[in-house]
Amino acid sequence: MHLPIRLSTLILTLMLIASSVIISPPTATSQSGPVELQSDTLLGRGWIHELVWTPDSQHLLVVSSNALSIYTVGAWDTPQIIEPASPALVDAALSPDGTQIALLENGLVRILSTADWSEIRRIETATYDTYDATGTSLGWVGDYLIVYDASMVGFNVWDSRTGALFSTMASLSGRTILNTTPLLTYDIENEWVTYALLTPDQLRLPDEEGMPIFPDGYGEPFAEDEKIFGVAMTPTDPARLVIGVQNDTGEYRVVEPNTDVEPILHIAPPLQELALAPDGQFAALGVCIAVNQNACGGYEIRAVDLVSGITLPYRGRLPGKVGAIRYAPSGEFLAATNGQAVRIWNTADQTQVALLHGFSYSVAQMMTTGNRLVAASVVDGIGSSGVTIWNLGTRQSVAYVPCTGPIDVHDDLLLCGNQLWSLAGDTPTLVRDYFAVYDVYGVAFDPTGTWLAIAYDKGRHVGLWRIDDYEPSAKIVYDAIPNWIHTLEFSADGQYLLTIPGDESIMVWDRAKLQTMGDPLVLTQPDPNRYTPDLNVPPFVTQLGGSVKAMAINPGDGSLVVDQYIGQIQVFDDLTERYSVSLFDWVDSLFPHALAVSQDGQWMAAGGCYLAPHGGWCSESRVYGYDAATGEHVWSIVRTEDRIISLAFSQDGQWVMGGTAHLDKTIHARLIASGGIHVWALPGA
């Protein structure tokens, strides 16, 4: 760690002591107070909710919280973007003839012409908070729009021609709407699926007593050890409905209710989502191919012939989860999304024809290399749902990396979970896959980019690799200690490896001694009543701080910056504290902390949830920016619409970026136009 005591500093200190002058701590704020930065740009079109093909199969409409993205087949790189009039975009539905599209926003339904995407009509609806928004969806049957209202557990039926409310229907059959003909609504709860098929003649007015209409519903029970992973229906006449179920042993079947069709039984890893080809021959499934942190970290799409049982793989990983699978009406294309990107294949030979990116949600990690911003998103708290690469000059996404896990970058190299990627070309390429590494909690490059460290097996193991080797040169093993490593960093000079275990202190290791030990360093637990391991080993140097939530190295002077849960920022020179400044008290330890230092060493910034009056609900997040040399609080960022969970500085020192997530840490709710990356101009830029 490059932190030598400077001669001038030593002379000044001796002079001050000799003259009996007391050195005061750094100033918390300037006399005029910190400046509040205003967001300049929002990167990312939010989280993808739905995929909609036009009837002619020539356009794919990607519905995400911040935009409707209209892609034309064969011109995938230039989508037309329509932003919501009322944040955020929740769902979309095409009219049965495909000439109009309805956009469901918070408190508003907008109807557009698909000929030129101009607005035809607006319908005012109820405005929901994020709790009530869960499950809200939209359908179109005949001339009527069906809006599921989770707060009333029912449907509002609107006349698309006049914008008038036609009727209200209580729902016995589900809150998810598939825009098929007839319209399919369904709900899944444990081993039960309930569903209903709606046609225009069923949309009757309430009777004289004002009783709501109950559409005919059907229930389909399954065994207690079976999980329903998807419901789908063909657009054929008559329509064909299927339900996918899988038991605890991995055996799955695709069931066609109310028929004598016998399902073919298969064995597969965990499955997610289901789609039927237009002719009903194939069912497309999301199949788990990567387990991370006891959950599925990645899926691929496979199509199963429902007659012969033959399975066709569609190559291309979807990290995180499968959000939607949709066949084009012509059957020529298949599209699938994980919420962060969209893959599109030709069904004739299962080859990929496009990979769509530029979306974002819950951006948990960010860092810059050159003029590029590398941003990793998290879905449902399970690893990353992939990494999006942004050009900070054009403010456009340029690539998507389908990897899972924490990230670090060095020049054109990206370390993501157990994979090493090259970002040198137009398309990221996989350099190396460390197959023996799993459940990755932390990764780091050394300053030269020739060594890397990975905390894996849920942080029980920390390995050091030469970048060209498949096997680690050194390893630390936490034996029977629930105090595992979740964050890694190298000192600026590469001399030390810094780790943060579960007790939230910083453990400092002599890297050279680790690399020469030969056998793995096994840390034992002498006292079974305490989590503290036996640290009486030569590679161990010291332990720093406590209640540490994040750490970063200042590229300017090599100092170590530490963010503590007690609301304090510490700065260390050569493992000795130089100064500390107050941030603010963290309201909840489950909210993540964001910390970053600018490339020139001028700024350090930290922040996160500032107010949480309702327990799991964060009503305001803040970031404080400090002069890294003095600790003076110079600027602030305040967000009440979303929550900042990661920070990064542009390498030219002009901008600071904040990755955001929904304000609530417990419920994935869609009615908020957030989840993108905000860009703020720094003072003096």
Side-chain angles (χ1 to χ4, degrees):
M1 190 179 296
H2 174 61
L3 305 172
I5 297 178
R6 297 172 177 80
L7 181 60
S8 59
T9 302
L10 179 60
I11 293 173
L12 176 60
T13 302
L14 293 174
M15 291 174 62
L16 290 171
I17 293 174
S19 58
S20 300
V21 175
I22 299 175
I23 305 176
S24 60
T27 305
T29 59
S30 62
Q31 291 183 351
S32 59
V35 176
E36 184 174 335
L37 304 185
Q38 302 300 316
S39 180
D40 174 85
T41 307
L42 178 66
L43 304 181
R45 282 167 265 158
W47 183 256
I48 301 171
H49 307 319
E50 183 58 281
L51 305 175
V52 180
W53 288 96
T54 54
D56 60 5
S57 299
Q58 291 304 300
H59 296 90
L60 176 65
L61 314 180
V62 180
V63 183
S64 60
S65 53
N66 294 348
L68 176 70
S69 305
I70 305 164
Y71 292 89
T72 301
V73 172
W76 302 108
D77 294 333
T78 55
Q80 182 177 347
I81 307 299
I82 297 177
E83 296 181 353
S86 173
L89 180 58
V90 180
D91 203 355
L94 282 171
S95 61
D97 61 6
T99 60
Q100 298 178 38
I101 185 170
L103 306 182
L104 175 61
E105 303 171 11
N106 194 7
L108 184 67
V109 173
R110 285 196 298 158
I111 300 176
L112 311 180
S113 167
T114 56
D116 57 6
W117 308 105
S118 61
E119 184 173 314
I120 299 173
R121 182 172 295 105
R122 292 190 177 196
I123 302 173
E124 292 187 3
T125 63
T127 300
Y128 309 104
D129 64 25
T130 50
Y131 284 98
D132 289 340
T134 305
T136 301
S137 53
L138 174 70
W140 200 322
V141 55
D143 293 320
Y144 300 97
L145 291 168
I146 315 295
V147 180
Y148 178 75
D149 185 336
S151 63
M152 60 171 277
V153 194
F155 298 102
N156 288 317
V157 182
W158 301 85
D159 190 322
S160 66
R161 299 162 297 183
T162 64
L165 180 64
F166 181 69
S167 67
T168 299
M169 306 166 64
S171 171
L172 297 180
S173 55
R175 56 191 170 200
T176 301
I177 299 175
L178 282 183
N179 280 285
T180 52
T181 303
L183 196 75
L184 170 66
T185 71
Y186 69 91
D187 197 9
I188 296 173
E189 184 174 352
N190 298 324
E191 67 275 7
W192 269 87
V193 58
T194 54
Y195 61 93
L197 302 176
L198 294 176
T199 59
D201 61 357
Q202 291 177 298
L203 303 179
R204 303 181 300 273
L205 288 171
D207 60 23
E208 294 179 356
E209 297 180 2
M211 295 296 292
I213 303 298
F214 288 79
D216 295 332
Y218 303 91
E220 193 73 25
F222 296 97
E224 290 185 0
D225 68 337
E226 287 185 313
K227 176 185 177 182
I228 301 163
F229 63 83
V231 178
M233 196 167 75
T234 64
T236 56
D237 186 15
R240 186 179 180 188
L241 171 70
V242 297
I243 301 168
V245 293
Q246 184 175 31
N247 63 23
D248 294 341
T249 63
E251 188 176 59
Y252 78 91
R253 55 201 174 105
V254 178
V255 180
E256 190 167 353
N258 305 317
T259 70
D260 296 327
V261 178
E262 291 291 334
I264 300 174
L265 300 180
H266 306 270
I267 296 291
L271 302 173
Q272 196 172 63
E273 293 300 325
L274 173 68
L276 269 182
D279 61 6
Q281 180 179 354
F282 284 93
L285 319 167
V287 182
C288 177
I289 58 171
V291 176
N292 185 36
Q293 300 179 24
N294 284 338
C296 190
Y299 288 81
E300 72 176 14
I301 304 302
R302 298 176 190 171
V304 179
D305 189 317
L306 296 180
V307 177
S308 67
I310 296 174
T311 300
L312 304 176
Y314 285 78
R315 299 300 182 187
R317 184 179 181 184
L318 287 170
K321 67 183 296 184
V322 181
I325 309 172
R326 299 289 182 260
Y327 278 97
S330 65
E332 182 180 358
F333 301 108
L334 177 66
T337 181
N338 63 345
Q340 184 77 5
V342 181
R343 289 190 185 274
I344 302 167
W345 299 271
N346 188 311
T347 58
D349 55 9
Q350 299 82 56
T351 56
Q352 182 175 292
V353 297
L355 175 60
L356 313 180
H357 47 76
F359 306 90
S360 58
Y361 183 83
S362 194
V363 184
Q365 268 192 291
M366 294 192 302
M367 46 203 66
T368 54
T369 174
N371 71 335
R372 292 170 296 182
L373 175 68
V374 182
S377 293
V378 172
V379 54
D380 294 340
I382 304 170
S384 74
S385 58
V387 175
T388 302
I389 314 297
W390 299 86
N391 183 311
L392 290 176
T394 63
R395 306 293 171 90
Q396 299 295 317
S397 65
V398 294
Y400 173 79
V401 184
C403 61
T404 302
I407 64 170
D408 195 14
V409 294
H410 185 277
D411 295 336
D412 288 328
L413 291 175
L414 165 68
L415 183 58
C416 178
N418 65 347
Q419 294 183 330
L420 183 66
W421 290 78
S422 171
L423 307 179
D426 294 335
T427 302
T429 55
L430 181 62
V431 176
R432 187 165 293 105
D433 198 325
Y434 300 94
F435 293 102
V437 173
Y438 52 93
D439 286 344
V440 176
Y441 274 23
V443 298
F445 282 108
D446 84 329
T448 66
T450 56
W451 287 81
L452 55 89
I454 303 177
Y456 62 101
D457 187 17
K458 297 183 180 178
R460 295 181 179 92
H461 295 76
V462 177
L464 279 174
W465 281 262
R466 290 185 186 274
I467 202 164
D468 295 325
D469 295 342
Y470 280 97
E471 296 297 327
S473 300
K475 187 187 293 186
I476 303 173
V477 179
Y478 273 57
D479 186 22
I481 300 171
N483 199 16
W484 307 311
I485 302 298
H486 59 79
T487 304
L488 298 173
E489 190 70 80
F490 282 95
S491 59
D493 59 5
Q495 180 181 352
Y496 301 116
L497 173 65
L498 312 176
T499 64
I500 301 180
D503 68 356
E504 298 177 341
S505 62
I506 297 177
M507 302 175 70
V508 183
W509 305 91
D510 187 303
R511 171 183 162 181
K513 291 181 180 179
L514 277 175
Q515 293 173 189
T516 57
M517 288 196 66
D519 295 331
L521 173 61
V522 179
L523 302 180
T524 59
Q525 186 175 348
D527 186 348
N529 297 316
R530 301 185 63 189
Y531 294 159
T532 305
D534 182 4
L535 297 175
N536 188 25
V537 289
F540 178 72
V541 178
T542 189
Q543 209 161 356
L544 299 176
S547 300
V548 175
K549 304 303 290 185
M551 61 179 171
I553 300 297
N554 185 329
D557 61 11
S559 59
L560 171 65
V561 181
V562 175
D563 178 6
Q564 292 182 296
Y565 178 63
I566 59 175
Q568 181 173 266
I569 304 296
Q570 290 178 296
V571 178
F572 291 87
D573 284 335
D574 199 20
L575 307 183
T576 301
E577 183 178 336
R578 189 204 319 171
Y579 70 80
S580 64
V581 295
S582 296
L583 184 58
F584 48 79
D585 291 338
W586 295 103
V587 296
D588 192 323
S589 61
L590 295 180
F591 287 115
H593 294 220
L595 176 68
V597 184
S598 63
Q599 192 68 25
D600 59 6
Q602 178 183 0
W603 302 110
M604 62 182 185
C609 184
Y610 180 74
L611 293 174
H614 305 297
W617 179 271
C618 179
S619 61
E620 181 179 311
S621 69
R622 290 189 181 188
V623 171
Y624 289 171
Y626 301 89
D627 185 311
T630 65
E632 179 185 3
H633 180 191
V634 180
W635 49 267
S636 298
I637 296 169
V638 178
R639 298 292 302 171
T640 56
E641 297 83 8
D642 46 31
R643 177 167 49 93
I644 299 171
I645 59 174
S646 61
L647 291 165
F649 289 91
S650 62
Q651 297 212 338
D652 61 7
Q654 301 292 302
W655 311 93
V656 60
M657 284 72 67
T660 62
H662 186 256
L663 288 166
D664 184 20
K665 68 167 182 260
T666 59
I667 294 179
H668 173 69
R670 303 185 297 177
L671 281 189
I672 186 159
S674 65
I677 301 168
H678 292 274
V679 183
W680 295 272
L682 288 165

